[in-house]
Amino acid sequence: MLPVLAKLMLAERFLPRLFDQIAAAAASAANGKCPDLSALEAAATAKDDTKTAAKPEKAAAKGDDAVKSTPKLEAVKSTESALLSEWLSSPAIKAWGAVPTAIGGQDLRPYLFVAKDRKDYFGAASVLGHLAAVVEQLFGAKFAVQGLEADLKRLAPPEAAQIFEAVRGRIVGGDSFDTEPPGAAGLVVLVKAHPTLQANLVDFLEALPRDRLGPWVCGGWEGVLKDGDATQRFDRLLQTWGKEGGAMLKAAATGVLRTRQGAR
């Protein structure tokens, strides 16, 4: 029990967002487990196996062990979710995942009460309080969501950030990105009302799985990403999408980037 708790508490202390994501996934799962966590740990430790495979003399000594590392890594890649993609893009999270004691196959629910007593992950309403109703509104139809901007401006910045994370988490948890997912329009209106969240929005877009993204992701952000750093990061992201992903995503990203550059 102690090694599992120690690893969770490391995440709680140094990677709070990761801890919250793991806790939310474990709390909502019937068995209390987080499959993405198992995949993260497998990927984080697979690099050591591939290094071994690169040395023939060691590979020969270990028989088929080094050869088996490649299928394991490929299996992780083939089942990569948006949340897992986000984790694997962070060296700090991968380093945490490589910490001895694999906990992805454990029922983590008992540990949540010990590791973090100031949040209740077993009910979104109890976590967000009165803000839960706002989150639900941001998943409404586009026309209805657009009318919320004035009300959203009255939120305190910490409340807006909490709502952003709640909406982002639900979108990522839906794991469907070929068409615009519910909640995306809500993020646009929320960031319009609170421009300090522009970096958070680009973080969200960067973490989406490029191989399963539809062309919707390339447009609709012009009226909300206005800061120099945010627009530059989005331009670089469009360049990446123009080279990676499906044909429709590549075409859309290239076209939007050309239009943005021509307007300057």
Side-chain angles (χ1 to χ4, degrees):
M1 176 177 179
L2 287 179
V4 177
L5 183 59
K7 188 167 182 176
L8 278 175
M9 292 181 74
L10 276 176
E12 177 191 8
R13 175 65 179 85
F14 298 104
L15 299 164
R17 175 170 170 167
L18 170 68
F19 180 88
D20 287 346
Q21 291 169 329
I22 292 172
S28 61
N31 59 5
K33 298 179 182 180
C34 179
D36 284 326
L37 178 54
S38 294
L40 167 67
E41 291 174 329
T45 55
K47 61 182 180 181
D48 295 328
D49 296 336
T50 55
K51 287 179 182 177
T52 302
K55 298 180 180 180
E57 66 277 8
K58 290 188 177 182
K62 293 193 176 187
D64 294 333
D65 290 345
V67 178
K68 291 179 181 178
S69 64
T70 300
K72 179 171 73 171
L73 187 57
E74 289 304 315
V76 170
K77 291 180 179 179
S78 66
T79 58
E80 201 169 293
S81 69
L83 187 59
L84 180 58
S85 296
E86 177 183 332
W87 291 350
L88 292 178
S89 68
S90 168
I93 292 177
K94 289 181 69 176
W96 175 86
V99 170
T101 303
I103 65 176
Q106 299 274 347
D107 181 347
L108 299 178
R109 290 172 294 185
Y111 302 97
L112 300 183
F113 293 106
V114 179
K116 197 155 186 149
D117 59 3
R118 63 181 177 273
K119 277 190 179 180
D120 174 12
Y121 293 97
F122 296 90
S126 59
V127 175
L128 293 168
H130 68 286
L131 301 179
V134 181
V135 172
E136 291 302 323
Q137 287 180 306
L138 292 180
F139 278 86
K142 278 191 176 183
F143 181 78
V145 167
Q146 290 169 356
L148 298 174
E149 185 174 353
D151 291 333
L152 293 173
K153 286 181 178 179
R154 288 194 281 269
L155 292 169
E159 292 178 321
Q162 189 177 2
I163 289 172
F164 183 96
E165 282 303 304
V167 175
R168 185 206 63 79
R170 278 181 56 176
I171 294 174
V172 170
D175 205 31
S176 178
F177 310 105
D178 53 339
T179 58
E180 181 177 328
L187 288 183
V188 170
V189 178
L190 180 60
V191 177
K192 277 185 179 179
H194 291 270
T196 55
L197 294 172
Q198 290 180 60
N200 302 62
L201 179 58
V202 181
D203 288 342
F204 161 71
L205 295 174
E206 287 177 339
L208 295 176
R210 296 162 192 165
D211 58 332
R212 292 185 284 124
L213 268 180
W216 67 271
V217 76
C218 300
W221 316 109
E222 296 81 3
V224 62
L225 295 176
K226 297 182 178 180
D227 288 351
D229 182 62
T231 55
Q232 289 175 14
R233 287 179 62 194
F234 185 62
D235 283 347
R236 290 195 295 270
L237 189 53
L238 285 171
Q239 292 174 352
T240 301
W241 287 338
K243 299 175 183 176
E244 303 176 12
M248 294 181 67
L249 177 62
K250 291 179 181 179
T254 301
V256 171
L257 182 61
R258 188 181 300 116
T259 300
R260 286 168 62 86
Q261 292 174 339
R264 294 169 187 163

